[in-house]
Amino acid sequence: MISETELKTALTAVGQEHLLRFWPELDAAGRAKLAGEIAALDLNGLAGLIKEYVLQKPKTVIPDDLGPAPFFALHPRSDAESAFYVKARKRGAELLKSGRVCCLTVAGGQGTRLGFDGPKGTYPIGPVSGRTLFEYFAGNILRAGEKYGRPITWYVMTSLLNREATERFFREHDYLGLAPEQVFFFTQGTMPAIGYDGKLLLGSKDGLALSPDGHGGTLLALRKSGALDRMAAEGTDVISYFQVDNPLVAMTDPLFLGLHDLEGAEMSAIMLAKTNPFEKLGNFCVSGGRTHIIEYSDLPEELAVRKNPDGTLAFIAGSPAMHLIRRQFVERLTAGGSLKLPWHRADKKIPCVDASGAPVKPETPNGVKLESFIFDALPMAEKVMILEGDRAEVFGPTKNATGVDSAESCRAMLVERDAKRLEAAGISVPRKADGTVDALIEIAPRIALDADDVKAYAGTHSIRILSGDRIVLE
Ligand code: UTP
């Protein structure tokens, strides 16, 4: 263990000696814990970040040449494109059949807005059964493995704070039907929270206030954890990346996979047509020949409201954070064992201890968390492919408990999507006067990856749904 004198010298050099304030009263275990956390920090690097991101509010520079990013439309725009989509679907299916695709769920976030006690993936989202977010993904992964004849490895990124609870959940639920070796857990990095005075915050007398380093931490964590090696050994070179809060995600869409591969993209993305100029989605843009996401809060109003001659928004492409990432791209980015993505500042209410050691639960933001974002890898990709997604089919983020982007709205979307799939299969679904479904319907993700699966199921089962029913098709 690093000595107290060494710690003091290193911390004093960067104005952070207050971290040892409670040292005299700590026992051996407490000292070892604190010393370990401090030793893991890049103190000089942090000093630079504090100057740049904490002591001043960093300004986002919007390039002069910013334009909307091109994308493949949901429906092909020409006969040639139609033929290309057919070819792409075939290629996507081949990738799945040859085992070249894996799934990656980022589940290291703190889910503070949802206010749920436990890893967000264990949140019960099923409209009838209450099956969890993780069960939705596991069910679809199992079904895709069955459909394409090759089991899919599932990489689940956690943070130090929720790794144990996440793994325990999987163990206690028999890996949700997957083989234990089919699931690879890995842990992202952490960053210390920083007070507005530039001083690192103590979360307790013997520990820093640490938080996960953002979903951008995925890329380096993939290397450090050995996940990239495992992918290489298994012959996987397409990583289907999605967030833990969206059970509607189409994680093995053959069209998306095929276009990504045929276009030779290093990183691809689904885009959703924004419903209004100021919708809270990142905007796909191009500048200097590279793809960038400009956050909704940073896109100048003049650009946000700009229209095409046909009246559609010029900057219409919003990001729901669904990506395909080529393994070799991650290998290239992290080759030296490090990766420089820009940091983003978030002003947060950070629980900590004050100078007397008393715990503080602030009512207003008291400091800054620094996070990196996965989409900042887009400009580093030589080639990016963007495909428009069908919002009602693929995007129901569970960010809040109620209201917009909530568990409530997500459940309603799941019911509506499954109802539409049943109707397309010729099953009658009761609807209220306002058109909403007059029953609670849930199709198990294990049996239905897509509308074709529902059609096949409906062909072999007798299904009758009456007003007010609560029904799970398993
Ligand atoms: P969000 O931006 O919704 O953050 O993450 P969050 O921490 O889950 O929720 P709030 O803001 O506290 O309410 C989007 C996705 O990125 C993952 C989350 O788990 C979610 O799937 N994520 C976020 C990480 O894996 N690590 C992080 O450090 C941050």
Side-chain angles (χ1 to χ4, degrees), residues 442-460:
E442 180 177 326
I443 304 182
R446 174 69 182 85
I447 61 164
L449 199 52
D450 50 34
D452 286 347
D453 281 352
V454 177
K455 205 171 273 174
Y457 181 89
T460 52

Side-chain angles (χ1 to χ4, degrees), residues 106-113 120 157 188 212-215 243-245 399:
V106 282
Q110 295 179 293
T112 40
R113 282 170 288 172
K120 203 170 183 178
M157 186 173 83
Q188 67 179 109
D213 60 357
H215 40 65
Q243 301 193 336
V244 76
D245 51 29
K399 299 286 183 197

Side-chain angles (χ1 to χ4, degrees), residues 13-80:
V14 290
Q16 301 289 353
E17 60 280 10
H18 67 284
L19 295 179
L20 298 180
R21 184 176 283 143
F22 303 107
W23 188 266
E25 46 182 293
L26 297 182
D27 61 13
R31 288 182 175 186
K33 176 173 178 287
L34 182 60
E37 287 179 3
I38 296 171
L41 300 173
D42 166 10
L43 285 174
N44 290 324
L46 262 177
L49 294 181
I50 290 170
K51 230 188 241 163
E52 194 179 342
Y53 291 97
V54 182
L55 299 179
Q56 57 176 12
K57 283 214 170 178
K59 282 197 191 72
T60 311
V61 182
I62 301 295
D64 292 341
D65 67 340
L66 200 70
F71 58 87
F72 285 97
L74 183 59
H75 304 292
R77 290 175 269 214
S78 66
D79 287 348

Side-chain angles (χ1 to χ4, degrees), residues 92-93 95-105 137-156 175 177-184 230 234 236 238-240 242 251-253 257 449:
L95 294 177
L96 289 159
K97 282 181 195 158
S98 53
R100 285 176 55 195
V101 181
C102 65
C103 287
L104 162 54
T105 306
F137 307 132
N140 272 178
I141 287 170
L142 276 164
R143 173 66 195 130
E146 180 181 72
K147 188 166 183 153
Y148 296 101
R150 285 290 284 259
I152 293 173
T153 303
W154 186 14
Y155 294 84
V156 179
Y175 289 83
L178 295 150
E181 60 279 7
Q182 212 176 331
V183 190
F184 184 103
R230 171 157 174 182
E234 290 184 345
T236 304
V238 186
I239 304 169
S240 175
F242 52 91
M251 60 186 72
T252 53
D253 174 15
L257 289 164
L449 199 52

